[in-house]
Amino acid sequence: MSAGTDDPGLAGSEPILETENLTKQFGGLTAVDGVNYSLRSKGIRCIIGPNGAGKSTFFKLITGRLSPTEGAIRYRGEDITELEPYERVRRGLSMKFQDVSVYPDLSVRENFRIAVQRHTSDYDDAVSDLLDVVQLQGKRDTLVGDLSHGQQQWLEIGMATAIEPDLLLLDEPTAGMTVDETEETGELIQSLADDGMAVIVVEHDINFVRQIAETVTVLHNGRIFTEGSVEEVENDEDVRRIYLGEE
Ligand code: ADP
Ligand code: MG
């Protein structure tokens, strides 16, 4: 593929990610309800929505951590609905989950080593690159349990990028962060996008959304409620209502 990374003219080409009628039921609850989502260009896109809107479930369906009740997922034109999570990872799809998934009793470097050793034999270079990307060189020998909350989140983002994904999904990467950490996280995500990654970020904080993304999708009750520029969405009265009603 030779398409430019941030060329809006990509609109006519094959989507990077597409879901069709994607649906997930848990018993009687429909957590994701007939979602048709399309990601056509690289760069950063956000998904927002109140608690329980189905954001995390949507991501888990895309990575294969959950199987849909109905619907299909296509990644770069290929139907991946039935693929195992590791097969999706192999195709360049990676995710940082909302819950923490690092090894607290190991050092930063050891955590990164675990993340890279599955797909490269050049461990040391790959680990060093990751330490640079997330700016944790100075903490490489620190036990992960001793990192600040923000640093742990960056470590996780780093681990998710270890496979050099084409598409990275980040579920609430700034949860629990200080204002400064949040801003640094925005810069980190921006740098990943500048390197040519497509990034979808689930986020609560509209100020953060404004910092990193141009296009936002609002999920509500498992459905796409609206989609548009940050400004359009922010000024949408119905969006304000669902947030005010449930926050
Ligand atoms: P969000 O990430 O937008 O806060 P989730 O995707 O986590 O929302 O959850 C959407 C809905 O699905 C919620 O009502 C939640 O309680 C429910 N849910 C999520 N995961 C499960 C599960 N494994 N089993 C049963 N219900 C679930
Ligand atoms: Mg969630």
Side-chain angles (χ1 to χ4, degrees):
M1 293 268 160
S2 62
T5 53
D6 47 18
D7 178 6
L10 275 176
S13 61
E14 189 178 89
I16 297 169
L17 177 74
E18 197 171 34
T19 72
E20 190 186 318
N21 187 34
L22 195 64
T23 300
K24 178 65 181 179
Q25 292 172 336
F26 296 112
L29 175 87
T30 307
V32 172
D33 191 1
V35 168
N36 298 309
Y37 182 85
S38 174
L39 178 74
R40 290 190 166 273
S41 54
K42 292 186 174 186
I44 306 168
R45 276 226 348 225
C46 285
I47 297 178
I48 64 170
N51 250 336
K55 305 180 297 294
S56 294
T57 304
F58 179 63
F59 269 11
K60 288 173 187 170
L61 292 170
I62 294 169
T63 57
R65 192 156 141 171
L66 289 173
S67 298
T69 313
E70 261 187 78
I73 305 162
R74 277 185 293 278
Y75 179 66
R76 298 186 172 285
E78 181 189 9
D79 189 325
I80 61 164
T81 318
E82 304 294 330
L83 293 186
E84 293 294 330
Y86 78 90
E87 294 174 297
R88 303 183 198 205
V89 168
R90 206 180 273 164
R91 284 162 175 75
L93 214 164
S94 187
M95 170 164 178
K96 177 196 141 357
F97 293 99
Q98 195 173 353
D99 38 328
V100 178
S101 51
V102 290
Y103 304 95
D105 299 331
L106 299 179
S107 71
V108 169
R109 200 195 331 230
E110 288 161 338
N111 268 269
F112 276 158
R113 191 177 162 110
I114 289 169
V116 300
Q117 67 190 9
R118 298 191 193 104
H119 32 87
T120 175
S121 51
D122 203 353
Y123 306 147
D124 292 341
D125 275 2
V127 168
S128 185
D129 286 350
L130 286 177
L131 288 165
D132 283 339
V133 166
V134 298
Q135 299 189 25
L136 289 175
Q137 281 287 6
K139 298 280 177 190
R140 59 186 180 272
D141 296 317
T142 302
L143 295 187
V144 165
D146 294 333
L147 293 176
S148 74
H149 176 71
Q151 289 165 341
Q152 284 201 15
Q153 298 284 309
W154 298 329
L155 173 76
E156 284 199 54
I157 294 174
M159 289 178 75
T161 62
I163 64 155
E164 299 181 3
D166 293 323
L167 173 60
L168 175 66
L169 309 181
L170 301 175
D171 195 352
E172 303 210 11
T174 69
M177 283 191 178
T178 64
V179 173
D180 286 350
E181 287 173 337
T182 298
E183 187 163 341
E184 282 184 57
T185 304
E187 286 162 15
L188 167 59
I189 295 170
Q190 206 85 58
S191 75
L192 298 175
D194 291 346
D195 279 351
M197 232 175 259
V199 189
I200 308 177
V201 185
V202 158
E203 182 56 48
H204 234 68
D205 174 2
I206 192 77
N207 293 314
F208 183 68
V209 170
R210 203 182 304 112
Q211 183 194 335
I212 60 171
E214 277 162 21
T215 310
V216 183
T217 303
V218 183
L219 268 191
H220 182 49
N221 291 335
R223 297 180 187 204
I224 294 183
F225 188 75
T226 187
E227 214 160 32
S229 71
V230 178
E231 201 178 24
E232 280 163 2
V233 163
E234 252 186 311
N235 293 320
D236 184 320
E237 277 189 24
D238 293 327
V239 172
R240 288 168 179 264
R241 182 175 48 76
I242 61 172
Y243 263 97
L244 290 174
E246 301 204 33
E247 283 284 64

PDB file of all heavy atoms in Angstrom, residues 26 29 31 50-58 98, ligand 1:
ATOM      1  N   PHE A  26     -25.322 -10.097  26.053  1.00  0.00           N
ATOM      2  CA  PHE A  26     -24.995 -10.843  27.275  1.00  0.00           C
ATOM      3  C   PHE A  26     -26.336 -11.212  27.899  1.00  0.00           C
ATOM      4  O   PHE A  26     -26.978 -10.359  28.505  1.00  0.00           O
ATOM      5  CB  PHE A  26     -24.199  -9.977  28.249  1.00  0.00           C
ATOM      6  CG  PHE A  26     -22.846  -9.552  27.751  1.00  0.00           C
ATOM      7  CD1 PHE A  26     -22.587  -8.218  27.461  1.00  0.00           C
ATOM      8  CD2 PHE A  26     -21.816 -10.476  27.593  1.00  0.00           C
ATOM      9  CE1 PHE A  26     -21.329  -7.810  27.025  1.00  0.00           C
ATOM     10  CE2 PHE A  26     -20.555 -10.079  27.158  1.00  0.00           C
ATOM     11  CZ  PHE A  26     -20.317  -8.751  26.868  1.00  0.00           C
ATOM     12  N   LEU A  29     -29.186  -8.635  27.720  1.00  0.00           N
ATOM     13  CA  LEU A  29     -28.663  -7.289  27.507  1.00  0.00           C
ATOM     14  C   LEU A  29     -27.911  -7.203  26.183  1.00  0.00           C
ATOM     15  O   LEU A  29     -27.030  -8.009  25.907  1.00  0.00           O
ATOM     16  CB  LEU A  29     -27.699  -6.931  28.648  1.00  0.00           C
ATOM     17  CG  LEU A  29     -26.976  -5.602  28.493  1.00  0.00           C
ATOM     18  CD1 LEU A  29     -27.827  -4.481  29.073  1.00  0.00           C
ATOM     19  CD2 LEU A  29     -25.613  -5.630  29.149  1.00  0.00           C
ATOM     20  N   ALA A  31     -25.287  -5.312  24.517  1.00  0.00           N
ATOM     21  CA  ALA A  31     -24.237  -4.350  24.858  1.00  0.00           C
ATOM     22  C   ALA A  31     -23.755  -3.592  23.621  1.00  0.00           C
ATOM     23  O   ALA A  31     -23.425  -2.410  23.692  1.00  0.00           O
ATOM     24  CB  ALA A  31     -23.061  -5.070  25.522  1.00  0.00           C
ATOM     25  N   PRO A  50     -21.341   7.460  27.336  1.00  0.00           N
ATOM     26  CA  PRO A  50     -21.471   7.274  28.773  1.00  0.00           C
ATOM     27  C   PRO A  50     -21.037   5.874  29.202  1.00  0.00           C
ATOM     28  O   PRO A  50     -20.921   4.974  28.369  1.00  0.00           O
ATOM     29  CB  PRO A  50     -22.960   7.482  29.044  1.00  0.00           C
ATOM     30  CG  PRO A  50     -23.597   7.838  27.758  1.00  0.00           C
ATOM     31  CD  PRO A  50     -22.614   7.681  26.661  1.00  0.00           C
ATOM     32  N   ASN A  51     -20.854   5.713  30.498  1.00  0.00           N
ATOM     33  CA  ASN A  51     -20.570   4.408  31.071  1.00  0.00           C
ATOM     34  C   ASN A  51     -21.600   3.389  30.644  1.00  0.00           C
ATOM     35  O   ASN A  51     -22.794   3.683  30.654  1.00  0.00           O
ATOM     36  CB  ASN A  51     -20.643   4.521  32.590  1.00  0.00           C
ATOM     37  CG  ASN A  51     -19.283   4.380  33.198  1.00  0.00           C
ATOM     38  OD1 ASN A  51     -18.390   3.781  32.580  1.00  0.00           O
ATOM     39  ND2 ASN A  51     -19.107   4.932  34.366  1.00  0.00           N
ATOM     40  N   GLY A  52     -21.138   2.216  30.242  1.00  0.00           N
ATOM     41  CA  GLY A  52     -22.078   1.157  29.872  1.00  0.00           C
ATOM     42  C   GLY A  52     -22.580   1.267  28.440  1.00  0.00           C
ATOM     43  O   GLY A  52     -23.431   0.495  28.008  1.00  0.00           O
ATOM     44  N   ALA A  53     -22.036   2.216  27.675  1.00  0.00           N
ATOM     45  CA  ALA A  53     -22.494   2.432  26.294  1.00  0.00           C
ATOM     46  C   ALA A  53     -22.112   1.285  25.365  1.00  0.00           C
ATOM     47  O   ALA A  53     -22.678   1.144  24.282  1.00  0.00           O
ATOM     48  CB  ALA A  53     -21.918   3.744  25.753  1.00  0.00           C
ATOM     49  N   GLY A  54     -21.120   0.485  25.779  1.00  0.00           N
ATOM     50  CA  GLY A  54     -20.684  -0.630  24.943  1.00  0.00           C
ATOM     51  C   GLY A  54     -19.317  -0.421  24.311  1.00  0.00           C
ATOM     52  O   GLY A  54     -18.900  -1.208  23.455  1.00  0.00           O
ATOM     53  N   LYS A  55     -18.599   0.597  24.750  1.00  0.00           N
ATOM     54  CA  LYS A  55     -17.313   0.938  24.133  1.00  0.00           C
ATOM     55  C   LYS A  55     -16.289  -0.182  24.302  1.00  0.00           C
ATOM     56  O   LYS A  55     -15.663  -0.614  23.328  1.00  0.00           O
ATOM     57  CB  LYS A  55     -16.777   2.249  24.744  1.00  0.00           C
ATOM     58  CG  LYS A  55     -17.759   3.416  24.662  1.00  0.00           C
ATOM     59  CD  LYS A  55     -17.197   4.686  25.273  1.00  0.00           C
ATOM     60  CE  LYS A  55     -16.895   4.630  26.752  1.00  0.00           C
ATOM     61  NZ  LYS A  55     -18.091   4.464  27.643  1.00  0.00           N
ATOM     62  N   SER A  56     -16.123  -0.641  25.541  1.00  0.00           N
ATOM     63  CA  SER A  56     -15.123  -1.698  25.775  1.00  0.00           C
ATOM     64  C   SER A  56     -15.528  -2.992  25.086  1.00  0.00           C
ATOM     65  O   SER A  56     -14.683  -3.708  24.531  1.00  0.00           O
ATOM     66  CB  SER A  56     -14.942  -1.941  27.279  1.00  0.00           C
ATOM     67  OG  SER A  56     -14.378  -0.811  27.901  1.00  0.00           O
ATOM     68  N   THR A  57     -16.808  -3.298  25.101  1.00  0.00           N
ATOM     69  CA  THR A  57     -17.288  -4.510  24.425  1.00  0.00           C
ATOM     70  C   THR A  57     -17.012  -4.427  22.927  1.00  0.00           C
ATOM     71  O   THR A  57     -16.562  -5.410  22.313  1.00  0.00           O
ATOM     72  CB  THR A  57     -18.796  -4.711  24.694  1.00  0.00           C
ATOM     73  OG1 THR A  57     -19.005  -4.739  26.110  1.00  0.00           O
ATOM     74  CG2 THR A  57     -19.299  -5.996  24.077  1.00  0.00           C
ATOM     75  N   PHE A  58     -17.245  -3.272  22.346  1.00  0.00           N
ATOM     76  CA  PHE A  58     -16.975  -3.069  20.913  1.00  0.00           C
ATOM     77  C   PHE A  58     -15.503  -3.375  20.609  1.00  0.00           C
ATOM     78  O   PHE A  58     -15.184  -4.104  19.664  1.00  0.00           O
ATOM     79  CB  PHE A  58     -17.348  -1.624  20.543  1.00  0.00           C
ATOM     80  CG  PHE A  58     -17.098  -1.272  19.105  1.00  0.00           C
ATOM     81  CD1 PHE A  58     -17.781  -1.920  18.083  1.00  0.00           C
ATOM     82  CD2 PHE A  58     -16.174  -0.278  18.769  1.00  0.00           C
ATOM     83  CE1 PHE A  58     -17.552  -1.587  16.748  1.00  0.00           C
ATOM     84  CE2 PHE A  58     -15.943   0.060  17.439  1.00  0.00           C
ATOM     85  CZ  PHE A  58     -16.633  -0.599  16.430  1.00  0.00           C
ATOM     86  N   GLN A  98      -8.667  -1.870  29.031  1.00  0.00           N
ATOM     87  CA  GLN A  98      -8.960  -0.928  30.112  1.00  0.00           C
ATOM     88  C   GLN A  98      -8.355  -1.439  31.424  1.00  0.00           C
ATOM     89  O   GLN A  98      -7.838  -0.665  32.218  1.00  0.00           O
ATOM     90  CB  GLN A  98     -10.481  -0.770  30.252  1.00  0.00           C
ATOM     91  CG  GLN A  98     -10.881   0.431  31.087  1.00  0.00           C
ATOM     92  CD  GLN A  98     -12.390   0.659  31.052  1.00  0.00           C
ATOM     93  OE1 GLN A  98     -13.121   0.005  30.316  1.00  0.00           O
ATOM     94  NE2 GLN A  98     -12.842   1.591  31.852  1.00  0.00           N
TER      95      GLN A  98
HETATM   96  P1  ADP B   1     -18.395   0.927  28.363  1.00  0.00           P
HETATM   97  O1  ADP B   1     -17.016   0.454  28.078  1.00  0.00           O
HETATM   98  O2  ADP B   1     -18.961   1.839  27.330  1.00  0.00           O
HETATM   99  O3  ADP B   1     -18.522   1.533  29.732  1.00  0.00           O
HETATM  100  P2  ADP B   1     -19.047  -1.906  28.335  1.00  0.00           P
HETATM  101  O4  ADP B   1     -18.801  -2.328  26.957  1.00  0.00           O
HETATM  102  O5  ADP B   1     -18.030  -2.234  29.360  1.00  0.00           O
HETATM  103  O6  ADP B   1     -19.378  -0.337  28.366  1.00  0.00           O
HETATM  104  O7  ADP B   1     -20.427  -2.519  28.827  1.00  0.00           O
HETATM  105  C1  ADP B   1     -21.616  -2.392  28.070  1.00  0.00           C
HETATM  106  C2  ADP B   1     -22.716  -3.136  28.795  1.00  0.00           C
HETATM  107  O8  ADP B   1     -22.467  -4.529  28.753  1.00  0.00           O
HETATM  108  C3  ADP B   1     -22.831  -2.776  30.264  1.00  0.00           C
HETATM  109  O9  ADP B   1     -24.186  -2.783  30.621  1.00  0.00           O
HETATM  110  C4  ADP B   1     -22.085  -3.886  30.962  1.00  0.00           C
HETATM  111  O10 ADP B   1     -22.547  -4.084  32.262  1.00  0.00           O
HETATM  112  C5  ADP B   1     -22.373  -5.067  30.075  1.00  0.00           C
HETATM  113  N1  ADP B   1     -21.289  -6.054  30.066  1.00  0.00           N
HETATM  114  C6  ADP B   1     -20.015  -5.837  29.673  1.00  0.00           C
HETATM  115  N2  ADP B   1     -19.295  -6.970  29.735  1.00  0.00           N
HETATM  116  C7  ADP B   1     -20.133  -7.935  30.189  1.00  0.00           C
HETATM  117  C8  ADP B   1     -19.983  -9.330  30.481  1.00  0.00           C
HETATM  118  N3  ADP B   1     -18.820  -9.957  30.278  1.00  0.00           N
HETATM  119  N4  ADP B   1     -21.063 -10.007  30.919  1.00  0.00           N
HETATM  120  C9  ADP B   1     -22.257  -9.382  31.093  1.00  0.00           C
HETATM  121  N5  ADP B   1     -22.464  -8.070  30.842  1.00  0.00           N
HETATM  122  C10 ADP B   1     -21.412  -7.344  30.393  1.00  0.00           C
END
